[in-house]
């Protein structure tokens, strides 16, 4: 049958989580884009609404309890180096409870809250897409 993103384009989702004008980013350990800083997210499961997947993935990766989310953008990411192809629906929220933490150390190695002028490098294509669609007010 094959693997999404590798044998055929995969459907992914991401969540840009904002607090006090800063964006939550995690450093990835696995492809696509291992070693890059990214928003939380992952694969949409069969019969799972993408919005629900964004919330599920964010909660699994950050330990936060996510409330209301809004659609931010849709992006297509082709990572030649990893031979991966994803179409991702990206959402945004400021509605969450708890403190972010490193919940999946086998997938993510570090995290932090970053303002627009202090973004870590390298940034993943998913993070670039989210940041490009966030207003200046989101970082205030």
């Amino acid at each position: 049958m094959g693997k999404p993103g590798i044998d055929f384009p995969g459907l992914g989702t991401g969540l840009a989580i904002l607090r006090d004008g800063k964006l939550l980013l995690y450093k990835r350990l696995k492809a696509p884009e291992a070693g890059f800083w990214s928003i939380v997210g992952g694969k949409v499961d069969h019969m799972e609404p993408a919005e629900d997947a964004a919330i599920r993935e964010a909660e699994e990766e950050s330990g936060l309890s996510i409330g209301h989310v809004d659609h931010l953008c849709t992006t297509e990411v082709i990572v030649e180096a990893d031979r991966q192809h994803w179409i991702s629906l990206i959402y945004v929220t400021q509605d969450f409870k708890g403190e972010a933490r490193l919940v999946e150390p086998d997938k993510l190695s570090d995290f932090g809250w970053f303002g627009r002028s202090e973004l870590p490098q390298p940034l993943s294509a998913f993070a670039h897409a989210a940041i490009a669609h966030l207003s200046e007010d989101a970082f205030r």
Side-chain angles (χ1 to χ4, degrees):
M1 178 159 166
K3 292 183 124 189
I6 296 171
D7 298 314
F8 54 88
L11 179 60
T13 188
L15 184 61
I17 302 172
L18 295 162
R19 178 184 76 183
D20 300 326
K22 296 188 176 200
L23 177 64
L24 179 61
L25 296 173
Y26 281 82
K27 193 168 189 181
R28 300 178 55 85
L29 288 173
K30 297 183 176 183
E33 299 183 304
F36 285 63
W37 289 86
S38 191
I39 59 175
V40 291
K43 181 175 68 72
V44 178
D45 292 333
H46 184 250
M47 302 303 293
E48 178 183 32
E51 182 176 314
D52 293 351
I55 292 169
R56 173 183 55 77
E57 288 284 354
E59 291 179 344
E60 288 173 1
E61 293 180 2
S62 71
L64 297 171
S65 177
I66 306 296
H68 177 77
V69 303
D70 291 305
H71 181 259
L72 179 64
C73 65
T74 301
T75 189
E76 182 174 25
V77 174
I78 298 173
V79 184
E80 288 288 343
D82 296 322
R83 300 294 304 149
Q84 292 208 26
H85 182 178
W86 291 91
I87 297 170
S88 292
L89 294 124
I90 298 177
Y91 296 86
V92 61
T93 191
Q94 294 184 55
D95 183 13
F96 63 89
K97 291 186 170 95
E99 289 298 321
R101 59 190 199 278
L102 195 57
V103 180
E104 297 182 322
D106 58 318
K107 296 179 182 176
L108 306 165
S109 66
D110 199 4
F111 73 96
W113 295 93
F114 301 94
R116 190 181 290 271
S117 65
E118 57 192 20
L119 294 168
Q121 299 297 320
L123 282 176
S124 73
F126 305 101
H128 274 293
I131 292 162
H133 286 86
L134 289 169
S135 69
E136 287 295 323
D137 288 339
F139 284 97
R140 289 188 191 157

